[in-house]
Amino acid sequence: MINVTKSYLPPLEEYVKHLEGIWERVHLTNNGPLVQQLEQDLKQYLGIDNLLYCGNGTIVLQMAIKALGLTKEIITTPFSYCASTNVILWENCTPVFADILPDDYTIDPAKIERLITENTEAILATHVYGNVCRVEEIEAIAQKHRLKVIYDGAHTFGTTYNGQSAFAYGDVSTCSFHATKVFHTVEGGLVTSTDPVILDKIQQLRSFGHRFDDYLDYGINGKNSELHAAMGLCLLPRVSDLIAARKERFGLYDTLLDFSELQRPSLRPTVQYNYAYYPVVFRSEAKLLAAKAALEAEQIYPRRYFYPSLNQLPFLKSTQPCPISEDIALRVLCLPMYPDLEFENIEKTCKIINEL
Ligand SMILES: *Cc1c(COP(=O)(O)O)cnc(C)c1O
């Protein structure tokens, strides 16, 4: 069975070495030495000084909203995973959906500007499929209207833009280290901020809002454990190789697929890409469904991702029309993409799609 992604695991002995240390120290969580080591190594790898390793890629978004003091309207993208809208609702803010650009499916800065009201406090945008948003234009809008900017960078680990990590942009950037992502710690998340005061606040929120006996604010449990950090320490030195392996598979899809019937999102100039996903957009939803069924008949399981367009989530109290996102979400399918995906399975996948 070929799934859309497959988690990468390090050699077991390497992980066991870390476990032996954990068993000796009997320090399992609460900012232990492996968590601290992973944070140091991430700083080095990403070239970012202000970051925290956390429980997952959702809690970091929630803590970002809380730390920035947001309570009203947040302009966000309809083309993302449901977590990026859920966190806005969970924090009792109102999501306002700005439609996406037709070429790379990231939020359209011109549409953001039209939705700004006196209640707008922030922009929460997603770097889609490992590509990067229009960060300069978003920054200019935020400056002009005094808005905060949060980037959901769950897909962009290892991506650089203008030679800098994608996480260097916005007031706060986040990443998910879930088992299916480019770099993972089974479950895990990252938050970075250009503002040390905000990061300090998030650090406080991460551990229930208290420092020893000082109960400063109502926080949450946003921490992660030594066992999770150990996985990260095994995988981080391999990330460049894993991205290179993805790139090779990406290239094979590019060569073998017949693009007369398919569309692919474009990449921003100066992006050094992490090859996180391989989405293809069909001419119609019917064609997508036919391809999906044909692949599944051969035990190949692509995924409708992102789907649905988040402005159409059934539990929203209010929403905005986003025709481009709604259309792309109906027609986009992510094909299998992971570092040890066999070339013959890519050939098989392409053959099935091309024959339809
Ligand atoms: C995976 C993902 C998340 C959620 O991350 P978790 O670590 O699973 O909580 C949020 N946003 C996007 C865009 C994602 O792809």
Side-chain angles (χ1 to χ4, degrees), residues 55-61 79-85 87 124 126-129 152-155 174-181 186-190 277 303 305-306:
N56 58 65
T58 306
I59 198 81
V60 282
L61 288 167
F79 199 71
S80 180
Y81 182 56
C82 62
S84 65
T85 295
V87 294
L124 195 169
T126 297
H127 296 310
V128 177
Y129 300 135
D152 180 346
H155 291 186
T174 67
C175 189
S176 164
F177 295 163
H178 181 258
T180 55
K181 310 280 160 135
V186 187
E187 294 274 358
L190 176 80
Y277 297 90
R303 179 152 177 231
Y305 188 76
F306 298 121

Side-chain angles (χ1 to χ4, degrees), residues 232-256:
L233 290 171
C234 292
L235 293 181
L236 192 57
R238 294 192 159 81
V239 167
S240 303
D241 290 346
L242 295 175
I243 290 176
R246 286 174 175 278
K247 183 178 179 181
E248 229 183 317
R249 282 146 184 87
F250 211 90
L252 190 57
Y253 274 123
D254 278 350
T255 315
L256 296 180

Side-chain angles (χ1 to χ4, degrees), residues 3-5 79 129 155 253 264 276-282 288 295 300-306 331-337 349:
N3 273 320
V4 65
T5 78
F79 199 71
Y129 300 135
H155 291 186
Y253 274 123
R264 289 260 310 132
Y277 297 90
Y278 199 92
V280 288
V281 178
F282 290 82
L288 173 147
L295 290 166
I300 298 169
Y301 295 90
R303 179 152 177 231
R304 300 190 76 175
Y305 188 76
F306 298 121
R331 297 190 287 123
V332 68
L333 192 65
C334 282
L335 302 181
M337 171 54 71
T349 301

